[in-house]
Amino acid sequence: MKRALYSGAAATSLRSAPEPRRGRRGSIVLCALVAALTFVSPAAAQNQPGGFRPPPRLGYVYPAGAQQGTTVTLSLGGQNLDKATALRLTGPGLTAKITGYHRPLNQKEINELREQVDLLQKKRAAAQADPAAPKFTDADQQAIAAARVKLAGRQQRQANPALAETVTIELTVAADAPPGDRELRVRTANGLSNPIVFQVGTLREYVAPVITAENPAAEGAARKAEPRAAVRQPPVAIKLPVLVNGQILPGEIDRYKFAARAGQQLTLVTSARALLPYLADAVPGWFQATLALYDSAGREVAYTDDFRFNPDPVLAYTIPADGEYTVEIKDSIYRGREDFIYRLTLGELPFITGIYPLGCTPSPKCAFALTGWNLSANRVELDNSSRPPGRYELFAHRQDLRSNRAVFVVDSQPDTAEAEPNDPSPRAQLLTLPAIVNGRIERADDADIYLLRGKAGAQIVAEILARRLQSPLDSSLRLTDAAGKVIASNDDFDDKAAGLLAHQADSRLTATLPADGDYFIHVTDAQHQGSPAHAYRLRVGQPREDFELRVAPSTINLRAGGSQVITIFAVRHDGFSGEIKLGLIDAPDGFGLSGARLPAGQDKIQLTLNVSPTPRDQVYELRLGGVAKIAGQNVTREALPADDMMQAFLYRHLVPAKEFLADVSGRTAPIRVSDRPPVNIPAGGTVTITLASLVPRRVEITGAELSDAPAGITIQKTEQHGGQLDIILACDAAKLKPGAEGNLIINGFTKRENKTPKDGKKTVGVPLGAAPAIPFVITAAKP
């Protein structure tokens, strides 16, 4: 059995490698945390953030937005929201204060209320039967009534623990607050929550009543408490233009009526999935809203349940005659609960259905043609000369109304426009590589064909950007030789960086050309559709190796002196497979990473964010990046914060966030790993690593477990000695081969005696949290 024993962890810096390209606010520095440590008892530690009491978790905010220059009351629904102390909102112009908290009764409280009612009822009966008995007072009657209200509210509350608690917020939006999406988090004594979308709008807003246990008298509350046959609510009168906020609970159909004039082109735009992109415990994984429009005679005149590939429905309708119209919104299969929230805009609103081209170079005059409804112009010109390569938004305006957003890219590589006709092959448009082409599939079964002249052995990458830029094109790519033989083809390419797409539909292919000669790139729509809106950007050329990084989760809760697990995801482009060194950028004092390296060929790794034991109570905004060697040059990329969200019990997506935050408060009994990384584990053999508490006279580590360990690495046994814990790791040679590497995450435990009236003393395990990540390498077993 191999034994690796040494203490401490050497601090390293990416500056020891060839100097990386500097980031926007400084170079990337990787450091390990080595410091004197302080102690908090395991009992007290249970109340500290990032440890044993779970941090807050937000499921929804209602309403999910507000108009500029207004003050609104918000309900935040979720779990572990007690002792909320503060809110964090991105962007300027928002101020908020916490005004209330409610949670459902637990079983103990329910039993106590029932006992209270029973005792008071017996007291009343006794007083009626015997004048000498204690009097039954008005206060007693009020206590019975109050208890019954609480019990009745409990019955009307939906039994979904993930949404059971609510925090009430009073939020003020400044008149000059920029419109658009923000992120909202709540902070409690146990840490900072996940982010949730909150929108600042420009339109007047209507908010349907909030249905909660505290407000059982709200319209329809009793009906909404349980699923039953769909019932249409009486329509609420609204005046256009307006933005309506609503909640769909089981069986609910919300209805709104308004007056409209002949000739008005109305736009009805729903935001539902845009607010909560994925639901873990609902199929298809989001609130699937539908819209139906009825005339004054009750006839359905328009219906939709999506907009192209976007699940959120959008409806455009030209009013044929003056009169009163009614819009209905519901879930497609009549589901509902508190987090089925929506924001519905109605009016003669500008709406962009497409732009062309989908991108440009960094030019002072980039012209885009616009298509859509109620647009005041069909062309917009932007100055992109100072914009680095990336994705950007544009909006159209009609008087003081702002449209939905359109997305385009800026690329440093020159581009060209598709030249029709370019099909069939004899008319193919000749490309000089590398090339970026702005094109459109303008009619059903259209095909755009491009000619390139290649050399034997040349590597070719062809990639479509369309669906990722909101184009309805469902692209298909084929590479053929001059005889029509297919060299490579692709329909859908899964881009892990596009976590918000409900359907990945862009195409990408790679190929090595077998001989000198002419080759053809064929671009078509896989659904045999086409229109001027079916735009795309085609990139063709040699591989451009690169990478993107995502860090999840976007919110980290730590105790001073502790470590918390984070995951780095690498989106590798055009065959890049090299290692990536990771580090914090302009890190606040006391922060560092352990296991900060993504090995070659791997797409994700778990590591730990560590913080020194210096007492603090603060939320920190962090930045993290990576450096890799590509074509002999150091390339630096900053990691974008994201949350790894589940869809419909199964699928997972990286949903982008605006901030990467660490909430630090309280202190912990830190764990030291007495082994200098990496730990070499022989294939088919064992190795011992040692965990120790840096305050061993107060806290002993008595147990450990691996978290998300690679298949093949297990804890064979543990042994306590001298206040330390030896962990004997075993490697299954059939599952892990020499050369495999990564990080091990080990969680430590101690023991504590609990006293209960029923069982007396009882020994329980108390988690101490994660040790700093331990890099490992699988080595060949010695003969």
Side-chain angles (χ1 to χ4, degrees), residues 79 119 147 172 336 338 413 460 493 557 567 570 588 603 607 615 635 693 772:
Q79 279 181 300
L119 289 173
T172 298
E338 288 97 332
Q413 183 176 318
I460 293 295
F493 164 67
N557 289 291
T567 303
D603 294 332
L607 56 150
V635 175
S693 166

Side-chain angles (χ1 to χ4, degrees), residues 87-95 171 177-178 180-185 195-200 621 657-661:
L87 295 173
R88 185 177 179 97
L89 296 125
T90 58
L94 303 181
T95 57
L171 182 137
D181 288 358
R182 310 294 185 89
E183 283 181 351
L184 183 153
R185 292 173 170 90
I196 201 161
V197 173
F198 181 85
Q199 296 181 335
V200 174
E621 184 172 358
K658 296 181 183 296
E659 294 181 310
F660 179 39
L661 301 176

Side-chain angles (χ1 to χ4, degrees), residues 45-363:
Q46 292 195 67
N47 296 317
Q48 302 300 332
F52 313 116
R53 290 200 63 189
R57 181 77 189 171
L58 288 180
Y60 69 93
V61 55
Y62 180 76
Q67 183 188 12
Q68 295 165 319
T70 62
T71 297
V72 296
T73 298
L74 309 180
S75 290
L76 304 180
Q79 279 181 300
N80 309 312
L81 304 183
D82 57 312
K83 300 179 182 178
T85 58
L87 295 173
R88 185 177 179 97
L89 296 125
T90 58
L94 303 181
T95 57
K97 63 180 180 180
I98 297 168
T99 58
Y101 166 75
H102 174 81
R103 65 168 175 79
L105 301 174
N106 59 39
Q107 194 58 49
K108 179 183 177 182
E109 292 166 332
I110 293 169
N111 293 339
E112 289 174 348
L113 284 172
R114 287 172 174 167
E115 290 175 5
Q116 179 187 7
V117 171
D118 185 56
L119 289 173
L120 289 171
Q121 287 175 332
K122 288 178 180 179
K123 180 181 179 181
R124 178 171 56 190
Q128 291 172 346
D130 183 1
K135 290 184 177 182
F136 184 79
T137 66
D138 290 343
D140 293 332
Q141 182 60 47
Q142 291 170 2
I144 289 177
R148 284 176 171 169
V149 167
K150 290 182 179 180
L151 289 169
R154 170 249 175 187
Q155 292 173 352
Q156 291 165 349
R157 187 75 176 179
Q158 290 208 45
N160 187 336
L163 307 173
E165 301 174 43
T166 55
V167 170
T168 307
I169 307 296
E170 184 181 284
L171 182 137
T172 298
V173 184
D176 59 352
D181 288 358
R182 310 294 185 89
E183 283 181 351
L184 183 153
R185 292 173 170 90
V186 63
R187 192 183 191 211
T188 74
N190 299 317
L192 191 66
S193 75
N194 58 300
I196 201 161
V197 173
F198 181 85
Q199 296 181 335
V200 174
T202 59
L203 290 178
R204 177 176 48 86
E205 300 200 6
Y206 168 79
V207 180
V210 179
I211 307 302
T212 67
E214 309 94 293
N215 185 22
E219 182 180 1
R223 180 186 64 76
K224 295 178 182 180
E226 59 184 32
R228 59 180 64 186
V231 176
R232 286 178 168 82
Q233 295 280 23
V236 175
I238 55 176
K239 183 179 179 181
L240 307 187
V242 68
L243 190 154
V244 174
N245 294 276
Q247 255 179 326
I248 297 292
L249 291 173
E252 182 176 26
I253 302 174
D254 285 355
R255 305 172 72 212
Y256 304 95
K257 62 182 180 181
F258 55 89
R261 303 184 311 275
Q264 282 187 299
Q265 187 174 53
L266 298 186
T267 306
L268 290 75
V269 183
T270 311
S271 292
R273 185 178 177 271
L275 305 173
L276 295 172
Y278 296 108
L279 300 176
D281 55 349
V283 177
W286 49 77
F287 162 33
Q288 182 58 68
T290 71
L291 288 180
L293 185 64
Y294 297 85
D295 64 15
S296 56
R299 293 184 295 262
E300 182 180 285
V301 295
Y303 173 89
T304 185
D305 60 3
D306 60 15
F307 177 65
R308 296 174 176 166
F309 58 89
N310 188 339
D312 283 345
V314 176
L315 193 154
Y317 184 72
T318 301
I319 298 296
D322 293 358
E324 187 174 80
Y325 292 79
T326 301
V327 62
E328 286 188 353
I329 182 169
K330 64 176 179 62
D331 180 72
S332 60
I333 54 175
Y334 299 96
R335 303 167 303 162
R337 62 188 195 190
E338 288 97 332
D339 57 351
F340 277 39
I341 58 174
Y342 63 85
R343 284 168 64 79
L344 172 63
T345 58
L346 307 92
E348 294 180 279
L349 309 173
F351 189 90
I352 299 173
T353 59
I355 66 171
Y356 184 81
L358 295 180
C360 62
T361 57
S363 165

Side-chain angles (χ1 to χ4, degrees), residues 343-422:
R343 284 168 64 79
L344 172 63
T345 58
L346 307 92
E348 294 180 279
L349 309 173
F351 189 90
I352 299 173
T353 59
I355 66 171
Y356 184 81
L358 295 180
C360 62
T361 57
S363 165
K365 291 185 179 181
C366 292
F368 296 91
L370 307 181
T371 56
W373 310 312
N374 297 320
L375 301 179
S376 58
N378 59 11
R379 186 177 182 275
V380 64
E381 191 172 276
L382 300 178
D383 180 359
N384 293 319
S385 57
S386 61
R387 286 176 165 169
R391 297 187 188 185
Y392 298 91
E393 300 176 346
L394 68 82
F395 300 86
H397 293 82
R398 184 188 185 198
Q399 298 175 354
D400 58 345
L401 300 176
R402 190 174 87 148
S403 75
N404 59 311
R405 69 186 179 111
V407 182
F408 67 94
V409 295
V410 173
D411 198 305
S412 57
Q413 183 176 318
D415 55 20
T416 187
E418 167 201 11
E420 290 279 10
N422 57 7

Side-chain angles (χ1 to χ4, degrees), residues 11 69 201 289 320 330 335 362 431 465 547 610 721 728 731:
K330 64 176 179 62
R335 303 167 303 162
L431 299 181
L465 266 179
F547 66 97
N610 315 311
H721 67 91
I728 302 171
C731 175

